[in-house]
Amino acid sequence: MSEETTDEIPQTLPLDAWHRARGGRMVPFAGYHMPVQFEGIMAEHLWTRSSASLFDVSHMGQLLISGEEVDEALEAVMPGDIAGLAEGRIRYSLLLNDSGGILDDLMVTRTKGDLYVVVNGATKYDDIAHLHEHLPEHITLNHMDEQALIALQGPKAVDALARLSPGVEKLVFMTAGAFRLGGVSCWISRSGYTGEDGFEISLPASAADTIATLLCDQPEVKPAGLGARDSLRLEAGLPLYGHDLDEDISPVAADLGFAIPKRRREEGGFPGSDRIAIERAEGPATKRVGLIIEGRQPVREGGTVVDADGNDIGRVTSGGFSPTLQTPIAMAYVPVSLATPGTPVTLQQRGKLFPAKVAAMPFVPHNYVRKGA
């Protein structure tokens, strides 16, 4: 999933005052004022890995899509197996352009009678316009812009949330359902984008302040900001739209082939299916890989991968210092011939060279719960 900064005047989210009252350092992000940190990125990152953190992700777009033959309609604009999605199950999928480039990545959940779709904040209005343009007129798309979305992430998230909303512990990774939390009707999924066990909670914006306070009153939970969210998802090897994914990158190059199941690959019929079939058969020109960098200095987005003669042959799309591994890590696109884990590569940033090795992702193992309590 992902985010991107914009030049527009930032809007205010339902928890804006709540963040400021708790010392959140606010920055413009994806068109909104959002907290980048509270105690500090390192402390929030490590707390999430050991306990639980509350992240505000209300900037993301929440959509309800319904109508006759809605499965077929959605499968015409994305490569996911929507028809095979059971009630209460979640699927990661992609919006693609006709060239097979990624317009956005998203989550689709089947509810009773609808498909609940969560898209990225910076792209949500483009996504809505794209869906209106390509879905049949009888399909209804409701932008749930009066809903807030918060993510409770970390190994102790289940302890805190189950105390307040009994039954959520029975959810497993990539499942969802309707629950009561603090007397409020919520839609809760066991999912997230940190690599940790955790939940995403959709609730009325009018109740966001009350529920966020209730959750952070639990001994396991502290608020965390965008900085920790980014370092966590990087350690988890999860791509960020606008950085690791864009309209020129195909799912094959991005190593997201799992988002196109066998039936859809064989049947085709979605945007970019011809390019994707060719790349699957012949291999893409470049591939997204993980990198572990020697030394202590991170190489960030904008750095390049260079050959022995100093020529650019790849690009770094995300990079930072891993609080868990205590070493710099990055994601980059490199020629497929260099994509095997263990392959040495050289990075360049601001005229300096950095030795690195291709590494398998995730850098830190995922901690998802795949069996129910």
Side-chain angles (χ1 to χ4, degrees):
M1 300 289 283
S2 134
E3 334 291 345
E4 183 63 49
T5 56
T6 74
D7 295 329
E8 298 175 357
I9 297 174
Q11 301 178 63
T12 299
L13 290 170
L15 286 174
D16 188 273
W18 190 91
H19 295 313
R20 294 177 192 274
R22 282 157 182 77
R25 185 161 74 82
M26 307 297 281
V27 298
F29 184 81
Y32 295 91
H33 292 290
M34 295 191 68
V36 67
Q37 64 180 52
F38 293 83
E39 289 184 60
I41 294 172
M42 181 71 76
E44 292 164 26
H45 181 112
L46 296 175
W47 182 262
T48 310
R49 287 270 183 249
S50 64
S51 191
S53 295
L54 185 147
F55 298 88
D56 183 2
V57 289
S58 297
H59 64 300
M60 301 182 78
Q62 300 180 69
L63 316 176
L64 268 185
I65 302 176
S66 59
E68 188 176 351
E69 298 182 339
V70 65
D71 294 358
E72 291 84 347
L74 271 188
E75 287 195 355
V77 297
M78 62 180 69
D81 179 8
I82 307 302
L85 189 60
E87 184 178 322
R89 302 291 300 189
I90 308 168
R91 200 145 282 165
Y92 176 85
S93 192
L94 303 160
L95 280 181
L96 302 175
N97 60 28
D98 289 339
S99 301
I102 300 171
L103 297 173
D104 200 5
D105 60 342
L106 48 83
M107 296 287 188
V108 184
T109 307
R110 188 179 298 284
T111 67
K112 286 185 183 297
D114 298 300
L115 291 165
Y116 169 66
V117 179
V118 178
V119 302
N120 285 298
T123 55
K124 62 185 176 186
Y125 295 113
D126 288 340
D127 291 351
I128 291 170
H130 180 84
L131 290 168
H132 276 307
E133 180 180 354
H134 291 88
L135 291 176
E137 289 187 0
H138 71 272
I139 297 295
T140 299
L141 189 158
N142 176 23
H143 180 199
M144 305 163 68
D145 53 359
E146 295 186 352
Q147 287 288 108
L149 189 66
I150 53 180
L152 189 66
Q153 299 283 290
K156 296 182 182 178
V158 65
D159 300 326
L161 189 57
R163 192 179 302 130
L164 303 169
S165 186
V168 296
E169 72 278 6
K170 295 178 182 176
L171 293 174
V172 296
F173 183 58
M174 299 295 271
T175 64
F179 293 88
R180 299 283 290 179
L181 171 58
V184 177
S185 296
C186 299
W187 181 257
I188 299 178
S189 63
R190 200 159 193 170
S191 62
Y193 222 63
T194 62
E196 287 295 331
D197 180 29
F199 302 85
E200 291 192 342
I201 304 166
S202 175
L203 72 166
S206 58
D209 188 295
T210 301
I211 298 301
T213 300
L214 184 62
L215 289 168
C216 284
D217 283 344
Q218 306 309 304
E220 301 91 348
V221 182
K222 293 181 179 181
L226 296 169
R229 183 172 166 83
D230 192 54
S231 56
L232 288 159
R233 72 89 195 164
L234 178 57
E235 285 186 349
L238 300 171
L240 187 66
Y241 195 82
H243 301 264
D244 311 297
L245 308 175
D246 63 36
E247 295 184 21
D248 295 322
I249 294 171
S250 77
V252 182
D255 200 22
L256 297 177
F258 70 91
I260 310 176
K262 182 179 179 181
R263 176 178 69 83
R264 300 306 316 275
R265 294 198 304 268
E266 292 178 349
E267 293 177 358
F270 54 86
S273 57
D274 291 343
R275 173 187 173 184
I276 289 166
I278 292 170
E279 288 191 354
R280 283 184 54 82
E282 301 177 0
T286 62
K287 186 177 179 183
R288 180 175 64 94
V289 298
L291 298 172
I292 292 181
I293 300 157
E294 291 185 18
R296 301 284 290 178
Q297 184 173 335
V299 177
R300 302 190 186 278
E301 180 180 7
T304 56
V305 183
V306 296
D307 65 14
D309 297 321
N311 300 310
D312 290 353
I313 57 172
R315 60 191 176 99
V316 176
T317 51
S318 289
F321 191 82
S322 165
T324 304
L325 303 177
Q326 290 292 298
T327 191
I329 59 175
M331 291 184 199
Y333 281 87
V334 301
V336 170
S337 60
L338 300 179
T340 303
T343 303
V345 296
T346 301
L347 308 182
Q348 180 172 275
Q349 180 177 253
R350 300 189 187 94
K352 293 181 63 178
L353 298 179
F354 300 85
K357 279 190 176 179
V358 174
M361 292 191 288
F363 297 101
V364 174
H366 294 162
N367 194 24
Y368 304 138
V369 173
R370 299 183 186 277
K371 291 184 178 180

